[in-house]
Amino acid sequence: MFGIPCRASLPSGDQTLQSKEEKLEPIMQMDNQITPKKVRSFCSFRYGLSLLLHLCNVALMAQNMCLNLTMVIMVNSTGPHSLPNTSTEEHLENIKNPVYNWSPKIQGIIFSSIFYGVLITQIPVGYLSEKYSIKKMIGFSLFLSSLLSLLMPMAAEGGAAFLLACRVAQGVAQGSALISQHMIWVKWAPPLERGRLTTLSLSGNLLGSFIVLLVTGFICQSLGWPMVFYIFGACGCALSLLWFVLFYDDPKDHPCISISEKEYILSCLNQQVSSSTQSLPIKAMIKSLPFWAIAFGSFAFHWTNTIMVLYTPTFIKAKLHVNIKENGLLSALPYLFAWSFGILVGHLTDFFLSRNILRLITIQKLFNTLGLLLPAFFSLCLLYLSSSIYSMTIFLILASSTGSFCMGGVLINGLDIAPSFYGFLKGVTAIIGMIGRLISSTLCGVILNQRWESKWEESKFPEENWEFHSAVGVEMTVRPRREDGRATLCTKFRVG
């Protein structure tokens, strides 16, 4: 699928420009080579590495999301933080669970603040991840994010401004880890296993969401909400140390990997050209329709996903009026299904390709369509067809989990069309997605600040609109140029 490079046809014009674009022209590569002898997947080092990265993503997402649920009991919406007549029991409860008087608008800004930190790291880190050690970038970023998580309760006690600053700094650390990790699979993933390896590692984000929503309510009631940050911060510090010990940037340098597995990985990727010897084809990227399709789809995915992640606990509280434990359980269920769907998508992608059942472009369009349209459809059902707690739970699960189908499309598509420049390409498309996150989270806070109970419908309409138009845009712009074996997808910049 990704073997010998071939070249796309270029429009006639200036010969110098044509010669220059021949170096930047890429393509997905296919079959005209001997397939290396495959080694076992089960208990292999590359899958162990994917599992380790899976756990690191669990920690990162847990640190990212825990504030979304603790905010439910951190905020006193009925009155000032300190009241003159408080009993001893209430005083002790306030020590265990400090309460702050933040409006929904302030809460929305706090929710979105971490994305500002993530936003400024995407392109620089994406570019630097192609040049420098991934081991150090991910390890130090995970450790810094975990350290800031440990400091979060102290920042909240200092006021909303301190908490905002801490969340922005944590966003810088998390953005660096989340964007640089994509370059791991350029050197570690055989082409026909990229779907499984990438979705296994990325699905840690979903499992992290499930875990934090499942256990946060219990921790808050028994130990207090500050312990949520202490526990996940400590776990992240431990994982960062484990990462430094077990991970190496290149399989040929790792002392623990078997010789047969090392030879298999290297032989699968021996046709891939390193981007360190090439200049960035920025002009060709800007002119590439597949690039803009990925960017547009990324914007739509992050727009909807952010609304679901940030406001699901608050939506459940407003509609069902449940306690913190029940809120956590109901909020966690969608992410368990999303985690399962994410891993399933990776296996289906590799299965369809290895058995020549579907072309790569067909698989990508299929999963993009499902991942963008189904959440919008089920969100409408959640608002207008939920007549009981059971129907509301079902639609909430489907609205949140079906977005995982994008793991087979826009979320990893850059690795297929441009592995040599994947870090920079992922950074650019991710920053466009982050813009969608910032707008959606802030907009929802402003809308809900006007009238809390009756504004949920208004906050959902922009979601369905973006999802529909993005799905149509991806379908119209990502097209195969020619067929060769399983699939061939051309763009206008070289993939190596």
Side-chain angles (χ1 to χ4, degrees):
M1 182 174 63
F2 309 100
I4 300 174
C6 54
R7 293 189 304 206
S9 59
L10 290 172
S12 59
D14 183 76
Q15 294 299 318
T16 302
L17 177 61
Q18 181 173 351
S19 175
K20 183 177 180 180
E21 289 207 359
E22 282 179 356
K23 284 176 154 189
L24 304 176
E25 234 179 1
I27 233 164
M28 299 220 12
Q29 311 150 359
M30 296 307 321
D31 336 85
N32 299 324
Q33 62 180 17
I34 299 175
T35 303
K37 183 179 179 180
K38 188 174 181 179
V39 297
R40 65 178 184 176
S41 299
F42 183 72
C43 292
S44 64
F45 197 87
R46 62 191 183 277
Y47 280 87
L49 171 61
S50 183
L51 182 60
L52 174 61
L53 191 56
H54 179 93
L55 295 176
C56 292
N57 284 330
V58 168
L60 287 169
M61 187 52 62
Q63 294 165 14
N64 184 302
M65 277 197 61
C66 58
L67 183 65
N68 304 336
L69 192 57
T70 60
M71 184 67 76
V72 174
I73 58 174
M74 288 172 67
V75 172
N76 180 9
S77 59
T78 60
H81 174 51
S82 299
L83 295 175
N85 298 317
T86 56
S87 66
T88 303
E89 184 178 348
E90 290 173 340
H91 179 68
L92 293 176
E93 178 64 23
N94 285 338
I95 294 176
K96 186 175 74 171
N97 285 306
V99 179
Y100 309 102
N101 189 28
W102 296 332
S103 69
K105 184 176 181 180
I106 295 297
Q107 294 176 49
I109 296 174
I110 292 174
F111 284 150
S112 63
S113 61
I114 194 169
F115 300 131
Y116 289 97
V118 175
L119 186 67
I120 63 177
T121 63
Q122 299 301 289
I123 294 179
V125 172
Y127 175 76
L128 294 174
S129 65
E130 300 171 358
K131 311 294 182 182
Y132 299 103
S133 171
I134 303 297
K135 177 178 183 176
K136 294 178 181 178
M137 294 180 72
I138 294 179
F140 285 121
S141 297
L142 176 58
F143 180 78
L144 178 58
S145 174
S146 303
L147 181 62
L148 289 168
S149 182
L150 295 172
L151 298 176
M152 204 70 68
M154 187 185 302
E157 192 65 29
F162 286 99
L163 182 60
L164 284 170
C166 195
R167 290 279 287 178
V168 171
Q170 190 176 49
V172 171
Q174 293 189 0
S176 300
L178 293 173
I179 200 66
S180 60
Q181 68 176 264
H182 292 277
M183 283 301 295
I184 291 174
W185 306 119
V186 174
K187 292 184 177 180
W188 276 93
L192 290 180
E193 297 180 13
R194 280 177 176 165
R196 280 169 287 178
L197 289 170
T198 54
T199 54
L200 176 59
S201 60
L202 290 176
S203 62
N205 296 321
L206 300 169
L207 184 61
S209 303
F210 169 73
I211 291 175
V212 72
L213 290 170
L214 182 66
V215 304
T216 296
F218 295 94
I219 297 174
C220 288
Q221 284 201 340
S222 58
L223 301 174
W225 65 258
M227 286 300 299
V228 176
F229 296 94
Y230 297 146
I231 291 172
F232 291 127
C235 290
C237 290
L239 280 170
S240 65
L241 297 178
L242 190 62
W243 175 264
F244 280 116
V245 173
L246 296 179
F247 179 73
Y248 281 70
D249 289 323
D250 200 308
K252 66 183 179 183
D253 299 326
H254 206 292
C256 299
I257 189 173
S258 67
I259 296 177
S260 59
E261 183 178 4
K262 182 187 300 184
E263 291 177 348
Y264 170 65
I265 296 174
L266 295 177
S267 61
C268 286
L269 302 175
N270 61 3
Q271 298 293 331
Q272 191 165 284
V273 180
S274 173
S275 62
S276 61
T277 60
Q278 305 176 30
S279 59
L280 281 172
I282 296 178
K283 184 177 180 181
M285 287 183 183
I286 294 174
K287 294 181 178 180
S288 171
L289 284 179
F291 163 76
W292 287 109
I294 296 172
F296 194 39
S298 179
F299 184 97
F301 170 80
H302 287 292
W303 176 285
T304 298
N305 186 64
T306 300
I307 294 175
M308 300 304 297
V309 167
L310 294 182
Y311 287 99
T312 291
T314 312
F315 176 83
I316 292 174
K317 180 184 178 182
K319 293 293 184 178
L320 301 179
H321 308 286
V322 296
N323 62 37
I324 187 68
K325 287 185 179 179
E326 294 170 339
N327 195 323
L329 289 172
L330 289 174
S331 300
L333 278 177
Y335 298 98
L336 178 62
F337 284 84
W339 174 73
S340 303
F341 288 162
I343 295 177
L344 177 63
V345 165
H347 282 78
L348 287 176
T349 298
D350 291 345
F351 176 78
F352 290 149
L353 287 175
S354 60
R355 302 298 177 87
N356 295 323
I357 297 175
L358 294 174
R359 299 172 298 147
L360 178 62
I361 187 65
T362 305
I363 296 171
Q364 291 169 344
K365 285 188 174 183
L366 171 64
F367 287 131
N368 279 333
T369 301
L370 293 175
L372 292 176
L373 290 184
L374 288 181
F377 172 75
F378 290 120
S379 293
L380 288 174
C381 294
L382 176 65
L383 292 173
Y384 300 110
L385 299 180
S386 298
S387 56
S388 67
I389 186 174
Y390 302 106
S391 60
M392 180 176 292
T393 302
I394 291 173
F395 289 132
L396 186 64
I397 289 173
L398 293 175
S400 298
S401 61
T402 50
S404 298
F405 288 116
C406 285
M407 285 189 179
V410 293
L411 297 186
I412 63 169
N413 190 219
L415 182 58
D416 292 334
I417 70 171
S420 295
F421 304 105
Y422 183 44
F424 181 78
L425 178 64
K426 183 64 181 179
V428 174
T429 55
I431 201 172
I432 295 174
M434 292 299 134
I435 294 173
R437 283 190 174 192
L438 289 172
I439 296 174
S440 63
S441 59
T442 306
L443 181 61
C444 278
V446 172
I447 292 175
L448 295 175
N449 189 54
Q450 299 173 18
R451 286 189 63 189
W452 187 258
E453 292 286 346
S454 62
K455 291 293 183 177
W456 287 104
E457 289 78 4
E458 290 185 23
S459 67
K460 286 289 182 180
F461 277 129
E463 171 187 326
E464 285 87 41
N465 190 44
W466 273 113
E467 291 284 334
F468 174 76
H469 287 92
S470 297
V472 174
V474 169
E475 288 294 316
M476 294 179 64
T477 55
V478 180
R479 298 179 180 179
R481 295 286 184 87
R482 71 180 188 84
E483 304 276 336
D484 183 10
R486 286 183 289 275
T488 301
L489 176 65
C490 301
T491 61
K492 292 188 178 180
F493 52 98
R494 183 172 177 77
V495 294

